[in-house]
Structure formats: C-alpha cells, structure tokens
Amino acid sequence: MERFFNSPHHEKNEIGLPSQEHGYEPVGNHAGVDDGTKDGYEILKVSRDELSKGSNINLPSIIKDNHDVKVFDDFVAGFNIITKTMLSALSTSLGLQGGERFENLHRTNHKSNSTLAMFRYIPGDIKTSKEVGHQKHTDIGSLTLLFSEQWGLQVQRPGPQDHEKWEFIEPKPGHAVINVGDSLRFASGHQLYSCIHQVVPIDNLEDRYSIAYFLRPENEAKYKDSNGRWVTASEWHDTKYEVFQKEHQQQLGSDSILMGGMETAVNG
Ligand SMILES: O=C(O)CCC(=O)C(=O)O
Ligand SMILES: [Fe+2]
C-alpha cells in the first residue's frame, strides 16, 4: 500500500475511477468530518467483479504485476469466505430458511458492488484542517471487514442516548472490525442495526492506513429501504453514493439515506 500511495499522482490515477467500486480517488473527493470540510483520505478500490476478469483486469501499471493481482485475489477470496460464514451464522440465529438466508442473496458468481478498498488518511488537525477524516455514515452494503493498526475509527452505540457521543474503537493486532451495513439491516427486516461511524485522525504526524472489504448483495437482491421503498441492492448503492458525493449543505434532509435510517432507530 505504501508503495502505491507514495507513487506520483499520475501513476496512481492512471485509470482514474472507471466505477464507484474500482479505481483511484485523491484526497478531498467527499465531504469531511465537519461542516465545510472535505475528506482526508485517498483510496484505491479493486472491485470483485473486475478481479474476476483475471489477466484482463484494469489496474494502474504500478500494481498490475502477477504478484499484486494475486494479493488482491487472495484477500477477496479470504474475505468472501469470512463474511459469508458470518452471514450464514446470522441467518441461522434469526431462523431464516432457503432463499431468505442472507448467504443466498450474496452468491459469489452473481454481479455485485462488492469491493476491496485501501485507504490512506493524511494527518490533520480536526479543528483547523480543511481536509480531514471520513464523515459520519453507515455502510451501504451488508458486512464490512475493516483492518487498521491505527486509531481513528469512532462509533456511536445503538440505543437511546446522546447521538453526538463518539467512542473510539481500539485497534488490536490480528483483529478486524466488522460493521453491519444498511443492506443487511434492510434484508433482516430492519432487525439488525447498521453501525454509525466516522474516522478522525488523532495525531498530526502520521498517515493512517486501513483496508476494508465491502461485501454487498447481488445487484438484483431486493429489500425495503430506510424510507420504506422496495429497492434493489444496486439502486440503494447508487442512491446512497450520490449522497456521499455531496457537500454537507446539500446533504441536509438526506439523513435517512446517509445513516440508513439509524438516526431515527437510535434516537426515537
Ligand atoms: O478507514 C476506515 O477505518 C473506515 C472507512 C469507512 O468507514 C468506509 O469507507 O466506509
Ligand atoms: Fe464506513
């Protein structure tokens, strides 16, 4: 990751961002933690569908050799097994049968927006920087497997409480953080809660690296969203992504999308 992120911009940006699940985005493409700020991370995304193209995969030349592609392949294969095992355990614990079981909405050979994302956050001061952290949100997909050895991730506990109270998640070597995202919340009939989280850098000195695997349902899977509409997983993905792209001011009134309906679930 360091090798990629330390490369010149034109090399990192060689293929740009052909889709929201694949390619490179520089710092400042999304809203940041506080009003009027932008995000403080750059990101390399490798989509699971793109990886399935084998040697035809579209990647910047600096990470396109066989070794690099095998690393991405191994990560995605392993992360798929882990997340689908969890989905199966959750389905069993909720008493789901047949086509309702979560793993049957996530068949690996079906098209989806699942993606592997690698982040580098630039150091910044939460009070003064104009580009800082990762805004408050819930994840679009089903399960997110999140790895970072550095502090920065904060969550809000579900349940009635002061909803501006943030708690840091301690990074532990050899551990991952698992977020339930909106798609699993919706597929569970809103029984499971999406996790409200954000990232704030805690010192002004170090870059912060994190790796996320965003498992998302098959594009055609259907559920009722936070506004009670029947949508496909790919429609929800596109709707939410549009809100992610907006400035804070334009996001006003979009809380039920940005937070997957958790604002009202948590506080009301
Ligand atoms: O970088 C992190 O630790 C979290 C990233 C995240 O929340 C996201 O991209 O959805
Ligand atoms: Fe997230």
Side-chain angles (χ1 to χ4, degrees), residues 129-159:
S129 303
K130 283 285 150 224
E131 289 178 327
V132 67
H134 197 317
Q135 70 171 327
K136 171 182 174 182
H137 66 284
T138 56
D139 290 343
I140 296 174
S142 306
L143 287 176
T144 304
L145 199 55
L146 196 55
F147 298 86
S148 182
E149 294 174 352
Q150 291 158 284
W151 290 86
L153 180 66
Q154 295 186 317
V155 300
Q156 282 176 13
R157 276 174 205 265

Side-chain angles (χ1 to χ4, degrees), residues 119 121 134 137 139 146 153 197 199 208 210 214:
F119 296 83
Y121 291 77
H134 197 317
H137 66 284
D139 290 343
L146 196 55
L153 180 66
H197 57 287
V199 179
R208 175 180 184 274
S210 62
F214 296 106

Side-chain angles (χ1 to χ4, degrees), residues 15-224:
I15 66 163
L17 192 68
S19 78
Q20 294 298 349
E21 287 64 56
H22 192 76
Y24 172 71
E25 277 183 276
V27 168
N29 249 16
H30 304 264
V33 172
D34 283 326
D35 274 1
T37 62
K38 291 289 192 184
D39 72 70
Y41 59 84
E42 51 184 330
I43 180 169
L44 167 68
K45 293 189 256 195
V46 180
S47 115
R48 190 179 81 187
D49 287 355
E50 185 66 32
L51 261 178
S52 69
K53 293 182 182 163
S55 56
N56 287 332
I57 187 168
N58 182 19
L59 281 174
S61 310
I62 45 171
I63 47 164
K64 211 187 167 168
D65 75 24
N66 289 340
H67 174 75
D68 294 327
V69 177
K70 181 159 182 343
V71 170
F72 298 140
D73 252 333
D74 289 349
F75 270 12
V76 167
F79 294 167
N80 260 322
I81 292 171
I82 295 169
T83 46
K84 291 194 46 192
T85 304
M86 288 176 188
L87 287 183
S88 167
L90 285 168
S91 302
T92 301
S93 66
L94 292 174
L96 301 178
Q97 311 269 342
E100 281 191 324
R101 291 183 61 85
F102 301 136
E103 65 272 29
N104 294 331
L105 304 173
H106 296 80
R107 290 165 296 178
T108 305
N109 53 351
H110 284 242
K111 285 206 173 308
S112 82
N113 284 312
S114 299
T115 189
L116 175 68
M118 288 145 275
F119 296 83
R120 178 166 79 173
Y121 291 77
I122 53 172
D125 182 335
I126 187 81
K127 296 204 178 73
T128 54
S129 303
K130 283 285 150 224
E131 289 178 327
V132 67
H134 197 317
Q135 70 171 327
K136 171 182 174 182
H137 66 284
T138 56
D139 290 343
I140 296 174
S142 306
L143 287 176
T144 304
L145 199 55
L146 196 55
F147 298 86
S148 182
E149 294 174 352
Q150 291 158 284
W151 290 86
L153 180 66
Q154 295 186 317
V155 300
Q156 282 176 13
R157 276 174 205 265
Q161 58 168 313
D162 173 2
H163 68 277
E164 285 310 322
K165 186 164 178 267
W166 290 102
E167 295 178 48
F168 276 104
I169 300 290
E170 182 186 347
K172 291 188 185 159
H175 288 66
V177 172
I178 317 288
N179 287 345
V180 168
D182 300 336
S183 297
L184 191 54
R185 168 168 166 71
F186 301 155
S188 73
H190 302 221
Q191 286 187 75
L192 298 174
Y193 281 179
S194 336
C195 165
I196 300 180
H197 57 287
Q198 67 178 14
V199 179
V200 295
I202 60 157
D203 68 39
N204 231 334
L205 307 168
E206 263 193 344
D207 292 334
R208 175 180 184 274
Y209 289 89
S210 62
I211 299 179
Y213 182 60
F214 296 106
L215 179 77
R216 293 171 177 153
E218 300 166 21
N219 287 341
E220 301 311 317
K222 276 198 163 164
Y223 42 61
K224 255 191 195 171

